[in-house]
């Protein structure tokens, strides 16, 4: 629509210019031009100029588009796409790599297990398993949790002993780093597993006088009636501080055995063990600053991956250039090579010019005619035929002929055939001498 409006404006401008021209001629007292150009021609020229201007503007507007779809631009787009795809892929791979590294390097911060005590034969004792929850070369704090009711027997027991042994996996041949004591309690005499750590600690319920205990019970009576509070106490007894297992899976505890040694018969609600890792160094940073650690280590993994990919790309590019094409190598076929006469070897036609020559022959033979362009081969064949004829007839060259040949050898540097000169007359005289010598030789 804008193109049509532009063309209409051009037509109006052409009409206006033509009207102004007529008015100018009228004001000057001059008639119209003797050979005025038709308005149609003027309009056509203006339209062609406008069309050329529009085409130029259109081409100028399409220059960025042509540059955007050119081969260098397409190559740049492809390289950018491959770079972005590779970067995203390596970023995802680096995130997965950091997750695996965190899972294998940072152990569980807290491990809790329930110990089920056994009664009836000796002191109460129980076992529990850790599996592969613990790690080597990592300090741990180990404590026993006892949930005891405040029964008369438990209160009357007073102090009692807790005997805890951390055992290796069954059949582990490793030598323990931590020495084990020789003391053994009842219930552990039949154990054949190797001890990695052993500890004995005392424990006792919190003392409360009769008045304090009665006042506490009366004040919490509503809670006792609703079941929100019980007459019990939870004891946490520390058994190990900073326990560290030596390197190797066989030196990490996977099982435990607990013995409660008391003079009185005790009652228990629940018994458990809690192991808390005491982090330090890199593990402490990775556990307590997880987001920062993720950003730093993922960036390091991604940077190393990108550098490795860039080195691999450069190596492949050096072995397989992008612009190289496979060209079939063809063995050169043996062909007849034209050999030129050597400059040191004298040629039969050396010293002769490009003019024609005629050489005499024997009687009843056509004279030899040498023309430039026939080549030296034909000339040598004719000379050989003449020599064969001379040898077959037994004609000996005359002395004058030999003298002439000697003189010709001395003056072999002539450059023209000299047809019609004295040299040609000498050759004719030699021919006549040969003809005269033939009959005498035949007789």
């Amino acid at each position: 629509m804008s193109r049509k409006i532009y063309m209409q404006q051009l037509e109006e401008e052409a009409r206006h210019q033509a009207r102004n021209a007529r008015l100018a001629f009228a004001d000057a007292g001059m008639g119209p031009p003797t050979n005025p150009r038709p308005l149609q021609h003027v309009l056509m020229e203006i339209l062609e100029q406008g069309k050329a201007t529009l085409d130029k503007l259109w081409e100028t507007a399409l220059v960025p588009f042509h540059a955007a779809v050119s081969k260098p631009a397409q190559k740049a787009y492809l390289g950018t796409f491959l770079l972005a795809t590779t970067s995203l892929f390596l970023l995802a791979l680096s995130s997965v790599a950091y997750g695996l590294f965190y899972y294998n390097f940072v152990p569980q911060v807290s491990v809790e297990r329930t110990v089920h005590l056994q009664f009836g034969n000796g002191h109460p004792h129980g076992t529990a398993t850790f599996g592969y929850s613990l790690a080597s070369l990592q300090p741990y704090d180990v404590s026993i949790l006892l949930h005891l009711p405040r029964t008369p027997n438990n209160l009357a027991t007073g102090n009692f002993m807790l005997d805890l042994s951390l055992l290796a996996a069954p059949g582990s041949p490793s030598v323990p780093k931590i020495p084990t004591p020789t003391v053994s309690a009842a219930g552990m005499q039949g154990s054949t597993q190797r001890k990695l750590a052993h500890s004995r600690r005392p424990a006792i319920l919190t003392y409360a006088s009769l008045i304090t205990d009665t006042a506490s019970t009366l004040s919490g009576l509503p809670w006792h009636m609703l079941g929100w509070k019980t007459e019990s106490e939870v004891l946490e007894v520390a058994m190990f501080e900073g326990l560290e297992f030596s390197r190797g899976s066989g030196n990490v505890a996977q099982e435990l055995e607990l013995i409660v040694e008391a003079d009185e018969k005790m009652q228990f609600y629940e018994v458990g063990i809690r192991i808390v890792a005491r982090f330090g160094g890199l593990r402490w940073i990775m556990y307590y600053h997880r987001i920062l650690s993720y950003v730093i280590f993922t960036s390091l993994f991604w940077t190393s991956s990108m550098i490795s990919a860039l080195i691999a790309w450069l190596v492949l590019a050096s072995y397989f250039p992008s612009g190289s094409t496979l060209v079939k190598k063809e063995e050169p076929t043996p062909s007849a090579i034209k050999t030129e006469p050597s400059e040191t070897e004298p040629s039969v036609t050396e010293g002769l010019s490009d003019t024609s020559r005629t050489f005499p022959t024997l009687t009843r033979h056509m004279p030899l005619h040498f023309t430039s362009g026939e080549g030296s081969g034909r000339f040598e064949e004719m000379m050989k035929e003449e020599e064969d004829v001379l040898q077959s007839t037994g004609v000996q060259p005359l002395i004058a002929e030999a003298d002439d040949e000697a003189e010709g050898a001395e003056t072999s540097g002539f450059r023209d055939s000299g047809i019609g000169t004295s040299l040609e007359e000498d050759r004719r005289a030699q021919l006549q001498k040969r003809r005269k010598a033939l009959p005498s030789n035949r007789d």
Side-chain angles (χ1 to χ4, degrees):
M1 188 65 183
S2 58
R3 184 184 181 92
K4 185 176 180 181
I5 295 174
Y6 180 72
M7 299 302 294
Q8 291 176 358
Q9 292 177 356
L10 291 177
E11 292 179 0
E12 292 292 337
E13 184 179 356
R15 293 192 185 94
H16 182 68
Q17 291 179 0
R19 185 170 58 254
N20 292 338
R22 289 195 297 270
L23 292 176
F25 278 108
D27 294 339
M30 301 172 58
T34 57
N35 189 15
R37 297 176 63 185
L39 180 61
Q40 184 179 1
H41 293 176
V42 176
L43 292 177
M44 290 299 295
E45 291 181 358
I46 296 176
L47 289 176
E48 290 178 357
Q49 293 179 359
K51 183 179 179 181
T53 304
L54 288 177
D55 293 340
K56 188 175 181 181
L57 292 175
W58 180 252
E59 291 179 359
T60 305
L62 290 180
V63 167
F65 177 75
H66 291 313
V69 297
S70 61
K71 289 186 177 180
Q74 293 177 2
K75 187 176 180 181
Y77 298 154
L78 180 59
T80 304
F81 173 75
L82 292 178
L83 179 62
T85 304
T86 305
S87 301
L88 293 177
F89 174 76
L90 292 179
L91 181 61
L93 188 64
S94 301
S95 299
V96 175
Y98 175 75
L100 295 176
F101 174 71
Y102 182 90
Y103 178 78
N104 292 322
F105 184 72
V106 180
Q108 296 183 21
V109 65
S110 178
V111 179
E112 295 185 3
R113 295 291 185 270
T114 300
V115 180
H116 301 282
L117 296 178
Q118 305 295 321
F119 297 88
N121 185 13
H123 298 292
H125 59 278
T127 59
T129 59
F130 302 116
Y132 295 94
S133 301
L134 305 181
S136 60
L137 303 179
Q138 170 61 49
Y140 288 100
D141 293 336
V142 183
S143 58
I144 297 295
L145 303 177
L146 300 175
H147 190 190
L148 302 174
R150 297 182 62 84
T151 60
N153 288 340
N154 290 343
L155 294 174
T157 300
N159 288 318
F160 57 92
M161 297 296 299
L162 298 176
D163 188 294
L164 178 63
S165 298
L166 301 180
L167 309 177
S172 177
S174 300
V175 178
K177 179 180 178 181
I178 301 176
T180 57
T182 57
V183 179
S184 61
M188 294 185 59
Q189 297 177 356
S191 176
T192 58
Q193 293 178 258
R194 181 170 52 89
K195 293 181 181 179
L196 296 177
H198 180 262
S199 177
R200 289 171 57 86
R201 298 290 173 90
I204 189 173
L205 287 172
T206 303
Y207 171 76
S209 63
L210 181 60
I211 299 176
T212 304
D213 187 29
T214 303
S216 175
T217 302
L218 292 176
S219 62
L221 185 60
W223 312 117
H224 289 288
M225 295 178 63
L226 293 174
W228 293 353
K229 188 177 180 180
T230 59
E231 295 185 26
S232 62
E233 185 177 352
V234 177
L235 298 180
E236 183 174 357
V237 182
M239 303 298 294
F240 295 100
E241 294 84 12
L243 174 64
E244 183 176 347
F245 300 102
S246 58
R247 186 182 301 275
S249 59
N251 295 325
V252 179
Q254 295 187 8
E255 296 183 6
L256 68 90
E257 189 166 17
L258 176 64
I259 301 175
V260 181
E261 300 177 1
D263 296 335
E264 299 290 337
K265 207 171 203 179
M266 297 185 63
Q267 295 84 28
F268 301 89
Y269 281 147
E270 187 179 3
V271 178
I273 185 172
R274 177 184 294 169
I275 301 177
V276 179
R278 186 187 295 179
F279 289 144
L282 183 60
R283 287 175 175 171
W284 184 87
I285 296 175
M286 293 178 65
Y287 182 79
Y288 290 102
H289 303 278
R290 300 180 184 181
I291 297 177
L292 180 62
S293 301
Y294 170 79
V295 172
I296 293 175
F297 284 97
T298 302
S299 301
L300 291 176
F301 286 142
W302 180 78
T303 304
S304 61
S305 302
M306 289 294 294
I307 293 174
S308 302
L310 180 60
I311 293 174
W313 181 80
L314 292 177
V315 171
L316 292 177
S318 62
Y319 281 101
F320 304 100
S322 59
S324 64
T325 55
L326 297 177
V327 180
K328 181 180 179 181
K329 295 183 179 180
E330 297 182 355
E331 296 294 335
T333 57
S335 59
I337 303 175
K338 181 180 179 181
T339 58
E340 299 292 338
S342 175
E343 296 180 357
T344 59
E345 298 179 359
S347 176
V348 177
T349 59
E350 183 179 1
L352 299 180
S353 65
D354 295 337
T355 58
S356 301
R357 297 178 178 86
T358 303
F359 300 95
T361 58
L362 299 176
T363 308
R364 298 177 183 178
H365 286 78
M366 295 296 293
L368 298 176
H369 182 74
F370 176 78
T371 305
S372 176
E374 291 182 357
S376 61
R378 179 60 179 167
F379 176 73
E380 292 178 357
E381 291 178 1
M382 292 187 293
M383 294 296 293
K384 187 176 181 181
E385 291 178 359
E386 184 180 358
E387 292 177 359
D388 294 340
V389 173
L390 291 175
Q391 291 178 2
S392 62
T393 55
V395 178
Q396 298 295 331
L398 299 178
I399 298 175
E401 183 180 358
D403 295 339
D404 293 338
E405 291 177 358
E407 291 177 0
E410 292 176 0
T411 60
S412 60
F414 68 91
R415 295 303 175 187
D416 201 350
S417 61
I419 294 178
T421 60
S422 60
L423 182 59
E424 184 64 25
E425 294 176 357
D426 292 340
R427 291 185 178 275
R428 290 179 181 178
Q430 293 176 8
L431 180 59
Q432 292 176 1
K433 291 178 182 179
R434 290 179 181 177
R435 290 177 180 176
K436 292 178 181 181
L438 287 175
S440 61
N441 191 13
R442 290 177 182 174
D443 294 340

